[in-house]
């Protein structure tokens, strides 16, 4: 059995860890509140963009005889090159949050590669960069400080190269993957085919009457502008939603760590009391034996 000093040091160490994990939980909880508010505001804006994009695209499609000639809306059945754009956290200590995204990306890559497609990795987040770099994968794009501090301009700049390659024909399909916020206890992997855009996947409030007043001659120009906004905002929103999910996952992980530390302190305290009792008993026996030997 460990001596009393060793057990006491362990108890002190675990209590310090417990204080740290409890503080980290509180910090994540405060950050989650702010990020959720931003996420909800962004979601409302995204619905409006989706609604307008859907209406203009359908209008252009009718004018062009039932088919949209914009490359961003032309489906590709057998893509030769696929860009996987995904978001991970810059930091750890958030349970299986990052691995859920990484596993989904790896699975998608295997599926497309088995069909003969070339897969290119574009990642925002240090954990994703570190993992796939260690696996020896070539990263077409890698940013390590964007997912922890989402910024619209930087998000647009990040996705701009992806869009450029798609328009130039270097990429046939762009898929966006991230771990999104579902509720305080749950995160959900989101996989979106960003390009080409499928209007069936574009969420919009079809019960709401549109107030758009756009000249028919301007439809294609407006559609092109909205397409860019749609792609930019989807990238930006994925960063915000992923950050909210990250804070939620870290909050749960730190709560679990705090509870484990509490249980460990209790078990060490019991062990300490048993060792102290054994030490006292030993001392009493030695004293009694010494007195008996003097008789």
């Amino acid at each position: 059995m460990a001596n009393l000093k060793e057990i006491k040091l362990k108890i002190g160490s675990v209590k310090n860890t417990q204080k740290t994990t409890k503080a980290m939980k509180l910090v994540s909880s405060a950050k989650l509140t702010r990020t959720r508010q931003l996420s909800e505001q962004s979601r409302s804006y995204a619905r409006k963009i989706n609604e307008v994009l859907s209406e203009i695209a359908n209008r252009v499609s009718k004018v062009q005889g039932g088919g949209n000639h914009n490359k961003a809306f032309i489906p590709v059945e057998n893509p030769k090159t696929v860009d996987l754009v995904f978001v991970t956290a810059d930091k750890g200590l958030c349970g299986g949050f990052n691995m859920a995204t990484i596993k989904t990306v790896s699975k998608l890559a295997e599926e497309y590669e088995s069909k003969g497609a070339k897969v290119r990795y574009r990642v925002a987040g240090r954990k994703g960069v570190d993992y796939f770099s260690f696996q020896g994968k070539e990263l077409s794009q890698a940013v390590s400080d964007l997912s922890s501090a989402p910024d619209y301009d930087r998000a647009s700049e990040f996705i701009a190269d992806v869009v450029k390659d798609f328009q130039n024909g270097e990429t046939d399909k762009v898929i966006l993957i991230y771990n999104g916020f579902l509720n305080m206890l749950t995160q959900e992997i989101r996989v979106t085919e960003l390009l080409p855009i499928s209007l069936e996947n574009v969420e919009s409030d079809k019960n709401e009457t549109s107030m758009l007043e756009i000249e028919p001659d301007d439809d294609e120009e407006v559609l092109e502008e909205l397409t860019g906004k749609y792609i930019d905002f989807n990238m930006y929103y994925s960063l915000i939603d992923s950050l909210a999910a990250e804070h939620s996952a870290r909050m749960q992980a730190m709560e679990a760590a705090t509870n484990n530390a509490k249980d460990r302190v209790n078990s060490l305290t019991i062990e300490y009391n048993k060792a102290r009792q054994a030490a006292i008993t030993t001392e009493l026996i030695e004293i009694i034996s010494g007195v008996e030997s003097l008789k």
Side-chain angles (χ1 to χ4, degrees), residues 55-61 63 70 212-226:
E55 181 172 340
I56 297 297
N58 286 321
R59 189 186 298 182
V60 170
S61 179
V63 171
N70 190 317
L212 282 175
E213 293 183 4
I214 302 173
E215 294 295 328
D217 294 340
D218 296 332
D219 279 351
E220 290 191 43
E221 184 179 343
V222 172
L223 178 61
E224 186 173 347
E225 181 71 21
L226 279 173

Side-chain angles (χ1 to χ4, degrees), residues 72-126:
F73 293 88
I74 301 175
V76 179
E77 292 184 3
N78 298 307
K80 294 181 180 179
T81 305
V82 178
D83 274 359
L84 298 182
V85 181
F86 56 101
V87 180
T88 63
D90 286 331
K91 301 175 182 178
L93 299 177
C94 46
F97 173 79
N98 291 307
M99 281 309 301
T101 305
I102 288 170
K103 286 179 180 178
T104 302
V105 171
S106 298
K107 185 177 179 181
L108 280 171
E110 288 177 4
E111 288 178 2
Y112 280 107
E113 286 173 346
S114 67
K115 297 175 183 177
K118 177 184 177 182
V119 174
R120 304 195 303 184
Y121 299 87
R122 298 177 184 267
V123 54
R126 187 181 302 278

Side-chain angles (χ1 to χ4, degrees), residues 152-172:
Y152 184 84
D153 291 335
R154 292 191 63 203
S156 300
E157 183 181 340
F158 177 82
I159 203 68
D161 288 338
V162 182
V163 176
K164 183 180 177 182
D165 284 353
F166 179 81
Q167 295 293 351
N168 292 339
E170 295 179 32
T171 307
D172 299 314

Side-chain angles (χ1 to χ4, degrees), residues 22-271:
K22 188 175 182 180
M24 290 180 69
K25 177 193 170 183
L26 293 174
V27 170
S28 293
S29 178
K31 288 183 177 180
L32 174 60
T33 301
R34 294 195 298 269
T35 309
R36 277 187 67 189
Q37 291 173 351
L38 181 59
S39 177
E40 289 169 2
Q41 294 168 1
S42 300
R43 192 179 297 116
S44 300
Y45 181 71
R47 286 199 188 101
K48 287 297 179 183
I49 289 182
N50 293 352
E51 177 191 334
V52 177
L53 178 69
S54 179
E55 181 172 340
I56 297 297
N58 286 321
R59 189 186 298 182
V60 170
S61 179
K62 290 178 182 178
V63 171
Q64 294 177 346
N68 198 319
H69 297 167
N70 190 317
K71 181 176 172 62
F73 293 88
I74 301 175
V76 179
E77 292 184 3
N78 298 307
K80 294 181 180 179
T81 305
V82 178
D83 274 359
L84 298 182
V85 181
F86 56 101
V87 180
T88 63
D90 286 331
K91 301 175 182 178
L93 299 177
C94 46
F97 173 79
N98 291 307
M99 281 309 301
T101 305
I102 288 170
K103 286 179 180 178
T104 302
V105 171
S106 298
K107 185 177 179 181
L108 280 171
E110 288 177 4
E111 288 178 2
Y112 280 107
E113 286 173 346
S114 67
K115 297 175 183 177
K118 177 184 177 182
V119 174
R120 304 195 303 184
Y121 299 87
R122 298 177 184 267
V123 54
R126 187 181 302 278
K127 290 299 177 181
V129 172
D130 290 346
Y131 178 85
F132 284 100
S133 295
F134 182 77
Q135 294 295 320
K137 302 293 184 181
E138 181 181 351
L139 302 179
S140 299
Q141 241 179 313
V143 179
S144 297
D145 59 349
L146 180 58
S147 60
S148 58
D151 178 80
Y152 184 84
D153 291 335
R154 292 191 63 203
S156 300
E157 183 181 340
F158 177 82
I159 203 68
D161 288 338
V162 182
V163 176
K164 183 180 177 182
D165 284 353
F166 179 81
Q167 295 293 351
N168 292 339
E170 295 179 32
T171 307
D172 299 314
K173 182 176 284 190
V174 178
I175 301 177
L176 178 63
I177 309 108
Y178 65 95
N179 203 349
F181 178 84
L182 190 61
N183 55 52
M184 294 292 286
L185 299 176
T186 312
Q187 299 81 46
E188 182 180 60
I189 292 292
R190 311 262 167 86
V191 179
T192 305
E193 291 191 6
L194 199 58
L195 286 168
I197 299 170
S198 173
L199 294 178
E200 295 179 358
N201 297 329
V202 174
E203 297 179 2
S204 62
D205 190 350
K206 296 181 180 179
N207 297 321
E208 187 174 334
T209 303
S210 174
M211 301 299 288
L212 282 175
E213 293 183 4
I214 302 173
E215 294 295 328
D217 294 340
D218 296 332
D219 279 351
E220 290 191 43
E221 184 179 343
V222 172
L223 178 61
E224 186 173 347
E225 181 71 21
L226 279 173
T227 300
K229 292 289 183 185
Y230 169 81
I231 294 169
D232 290 348
F233 198 80
N234 265 274
M235 185 68 232
Y236 174 61
Y237 179 74
S238 70
L239 293 167
I240 295 174
D241 200 25
S242 177
L243 184 59
E246 178 191 339
H247 289 321
S248 172
R250 183 170 292 111
M251 191 174 68
Q252 293 177 66
M254 292 303 100
E255 182 177 12
T258 301
N259 291 336
N260 289 338
K262 183 179 179 181
D263 292 340
R264 181 58 177 157
V265 167
N266 290 338
S267 63
L268 284 171
T269 301
I270 292 172
E271 185 179 343

Side-chain angles (χ1 to χ4, degrees), residues 3-14 268 272:
N3 62 48
L4 292 174
K5 186 176 181 180
E6 288 177 353
I7 298 174
K8 201 168 185 179
L9 286 173
K10 286 181 181 179
I11 291 174
S13 177
V14 175
L268 284 171
Y272 177 82

